[in-house]
Amino acid sequence: MRVLGIESSCDETGLALYDTEAGLLAHALHSQVAMHAEYGGVVPELASRDHIRRALPLLKRVLAEAGAELKDIDAIAYTQGPGLAGALLVGASIANGLGLALGKPTIGIHHLEGHLLSPLLSEPRPEFPFVALLVSGGHTQLMRVDGVGRYELLGETVDDAAGEAFDKTAQLLGLGYPGGPALSSLAEQGDAYRYKLPRPMLNSHNLDFSFAGLKTAALTLARKEGPEAAADIAAGFQAAAVEVLAAKCLAALKQTGLQRLVVAGGVGANRSLRSRLDAEAQHKRFAVFYPPLALCTDNGAMIAFAGALRLAEAQGRDGRFTVKPRWDLSTLTAPA
Ligand code: KG4
Ligand code: ZN
């Protein structure tokens, strides 16, 4: 089965074609970062219009690269949410329009499920169950993952997301938007021991996070020390964020008794976080898995892949059914 994936929840237009036998055939991405940079953040209306401009040329590119035609698509997966409403509507409209025209099924995918399952696009592929650290611009969560759609929230941020804290700290250090990668590069030239920044909730005895205080501490320091201290502040900030993220991952593995950790989302591209987790994994004897580097941030491949897994599971149920002897009425959702 060949599944087309369409991601348009925020500021990246991503399309991809995933084959359940052959794997990822092609993916193409357009980042709107340069367009939004002069505004210091994503402008929703501009994002929607740009998704409209980019989606079909990207689709043509993906099909050409995969040596496929529209008729070879068996199903279409698209990001249904969460994200910017107008931006989501672009991907959803194109997906459903194509589905109608081709007579093929469409499936709406949760953006975070896309991130969560993306490490399964790498080899070796982690087996279920595993602990997942989801670290993106909008979310910081630890989940227990027992299978597709079987997710238990273990802990999450009580204020800013990790990526948001990287971005805001980068902005106050004059590194532009989105500053995560730039902050991380600057940190590599700095002295992480010059300033000891706070490790919020490190000893909170739960799996929740907080990053707002760390960001404020970096801001206060930057105002006091001036621009020549920027690299050391960046290094201090990154060391604090990485230490908290790594400590909570270890605590989640301990609490669940699992020995597999999966890291997904944009901040999962951070080199310092990866090397810290790799070192912990070797020392504490657990396995750690990441998506391919290019698929850490938003992309269409993770949406195509999550769609393929969900459709394959639904097909596998052909003719079989279950009943729910215990079923809480309040868990029902309105028809999509
Ligand atoms: O997953 P993603 O593409 O979008 C969301 O769903 O939010 O994540 C984007 C976030 C941004 O905050 C960006 O600054 C951060 O991931 N990011 C990084 C790095 N690369 C991307 N943060 C720290 N270090 C990096 N190397
Ligand atoms: Zn994302």
Side-chain angles (χ1 to χ4, degrees):
M1 181 175 48
R2 287 179 168 190
V3 182
L4 177 72
I6 305 179
E7 155 65 31
S8 71
S9 66
C10 189
D11 58 352
E12 255 119 19
T13 321
L15 278 94
L17 194 60
Y18 180 82
D19 185 320
T20 46
E21 306 291 316
L24 187 62
L25 300 180
H27 79 107
L29 192 73
H30 176 78
S31 168
Q32 303 176 354
V33 159
M35 183 180 78
H36 295 296
E38 62 177 296
Y39 305 95
V42 178
V43 183
E45 178 63 24
L46 294 183
S48 311
R49 290 187 212 169
D50 203 56
H51 285 307
I52 294 174
R53 268 195 298 273
R54 306 291 175 181
L56 292 181
L58 287 174
L59 170 60
K60 283 193 184 133
R61 224 167 85 195
V62 163
L63 289 175
E65 223 171 276
E69 295 175 39
L70 280 175
K71 66 172 173 44
D72 300 322
I73 297 171
D74 298 307
I76 302 147
Y78 62 96
T79 304
Q80 194 172 13
L84 302 170
L88 289 165
L89 273 168
V90 176
S93 309
I94 291 172
N96 285 287
L98 268 177
L100 207 61
L102 300 172
K104 296 292 160 67
T106 59
I107 180 169
I109 295 294
H110 193 296
H111 180 79
L112 293 180
E113 180 174 55
H115 277 303
L116 200 66
L117 298 175
S118 63
L120 276 69
L121 280 163
S122 280
E123 287 296 333
R125 189 174 163 154
E127 278 173 35
F128 298 115
F130 52 75
V131 167
L133 172 70
L134 205 69
V135 266
S136 70
H139 293 82
T140 302
Q141 299 182 329
L142 274 162
M143 319 272 302
R144 180 192 164 105
V145 179
D146 284 287
V148 177
R150 296 169 63 202
Y151 313 128
E152 182 195 344
L153 183 67
L154 301 172
E156 64 183 332
T157 180
V158 298
D159 42 50
D160 290 356
E164 191 181 353
F166 266 89
D167 292 341
K168 287 179 177 168
T169 304
Q171 197 141 28
L172 67 90
L173 293 176
L175 300 175
Y177 156 87
L183 183 86
S184 163
S185 307
L186 183 64
E188 284 177 22
Q189 299 157 33
D191 173 7
Y193 296 99
R194 179 164 166 207
Y195 302 114
K196 173 98 176 166
L197 279 103
R199 270 77 173 144
M201 297 184 77
L202 186 61
N203 300 310
S204 63
H205 302 294
N206 62 20
L207 299 174
D208 288 338
F209 303 87
S210 164
F211 291 101
L214 173 58
K215 171 200 70 193
T216 309
L219 172 66
T220 312
L221 204 54
R223 284 201 179 131
K224 190 166 141 253
E225 302 289 298
E228 56 290 341
D232 294 339
I233 295 172
F237 168 87
Q238 179 168 270
V242 165
E243 186 175 336
V244 177
L245 288 168
K248 299 276 172 168
C249 286
L250 295 184
L253 290 168
K254 195 166 173 201
Q255 183 179 309
T256 55
L258 298 177
Q259 282 169 332
R260 282 183 288 269
L261 174 71
V262 154
V263 183
V267 184
N270 186 274
R271 247 193 301 208
S272 171
L273 178 65
R274 284 187 176 217
S275 63
R276 173 66 181 267
L277 290 175
D278 288 342
E280 295 284 2
Q282 216 165 29
H283 183 61
K284 305 250 164 55
R285 298 187 181 281
F286 63 87
V288 59
F289 302 85
Y290 309 94
L293 209 51
L295 303 182
C296 272
T297 47
D298 292 349
N299 63 84
M302 67 185 194
I303 302 303
F305 180 62
L309 289 185
R310 282 195 166 264
L311 291 164
E313 206 149 285
Q315 275 182 359
R317 280 201 302 270
D318 261 359
R320 288 187 287 128
F321 54 84
T322 59
V323 294
K324 299 180 179 181
R326 287 170 174 279
W327 197 1
D328 182 352
L329 186 61
S330 67
T331 61
L332 295 194
T333 55

